[in-house]
Amino acid sequence: MELEKIFQLTTSKVKSLIILLFIAGFMAWLMIGDVSRMQAATTNYDYYQNSIHLIVNIAITYFFCIFLLMCFLTYINKQYSKWCVRLFYFLGISIIIYYAFAGIYIEHVFSHVEHRYIWKFNRLAHRLYTGPLYWMIIGYFFFVPKILKDAQKLQEEQELTI
């Protein structure tokens, strides 16, 4: 009986690891493609378009990793840690920093894009500002409060057992 539980746990961990490696490989493939398209760009617009795609892919990966770390601390370790609360605040600060950087970077892009492509500038700004927005909204406002609530329940359970 004990051997079956160990086998089931290792099987689920291997499946989770394979899924995470697939996601990491896919994101790395996207980032490598963005960098190669930046190197092959013939105009400033093409260069900055691929640069913005690269920034958005990095931001999506970054926010996904923070959510994954919070899930790991709460659900897989099954122990309360103040790191979940710290990560929650760190995530909020990261969002503010991302949008501050996006504002500065989009001004830089505006001053360097050729005038014949200026009518496409709103597409660049839209991509930069709304690229990781899905992960921010879904994660920060819907997913993270549930994680914090579950972490609080785990803390109460641990205090009762002690």
Side-chain angles (χ1 to χ4, degrees):
M1 186 68 167
E2 193 70 29
L3 187 60
E4 285 182 24
K5 285 185 178 180
I6 292 172
F7 182 71
Q8 288 175 348
L9 286 174
T10 56
T11 305
S12 66
K13 287 184 180 181
V14 168
K15 288 178 185 175
S16 299
L17 183 65
I18 290 171
I19 290 171
L20 289 176
L21 286 175
F22 176 75
I23 292 171
F26 180 72
M27 292 307 291
W29 177 70
L30 285 176
M31 289 178 201
I32 290 170
D34 291 335
V35 170
S36 66
R37 284 188 298 275
M38 283 172 62
Q39 292 172 345
T42 56
T43 62
N44 283 344
Y45 176 79
D46 292 336
Y47 176 81
Y48 285 117
Q49 180 183 20
N50 292 309
S51 172
I52 287 173
H53 284 287
L54 178 65
I55 291 168
V56 167
N57 286 334
I58 290 171
I60 288 171
T61 305
Y62 174 77
F63 290 121
F64 180 74
C65 287
I66 290 177
F67 296 136
L68 201 62
L69 182 61
M70 291 178 83
C71 288
F72 176 77
L73 290 172
T74 305
Y75 297 115
I76 296 174
N77 278 352
K78 296 284 185 189
Q79 65 183 29
Y80 170 74
S81 173
K82 291 189 184 213
W83 283 104
C84 285
V85 177
R86 290 178 183 153
L87 282 174
F88 179 74
Y89 291 123
F90 183 71
L91 186 64
I93 291 169
S94 297
I95 290 172
I96 292 169
I97 290 171
Y98 174 80
Y99 279 108
F101 171 76
I104 293 167
Y105 191 72
I106 205 67
E107 287 179 15
H108 173 75
V109 170
F110 183 74
S111 64
H112 286 89
V113 171
E114 294 94 352
H115 292 291
R116 64 177 177 226
Y117 295 110
I118 205 70
W119 64 276
K120 293 183 178 182
F121 179 74
N122 63 345
R123 188 180 323 165
L124 294 178
H126 182 266
R127 175 73 176 152
L128 185 62
Y129 285 119
T130 62
L133 192 62
Y134 173 77
W135 288 104
M136 291 176 193
I137 290 173
I138 296 298
Y140 196 72
F141 294 113
F142 297 113
F143 189 57
V144 172
K146 181 181 179 343
I147 292 173
L148 292 175
K149 190 184 301 181
D150 291 344
Q152 185 178 14
K153 286 179 186 176
L154 283 172
Q155 178 189 22
E156 292 170 0
E157 288 176 7
Q158 286 178 359
E159 288 175 356
L160 289 176
T161 57
I162 295 174

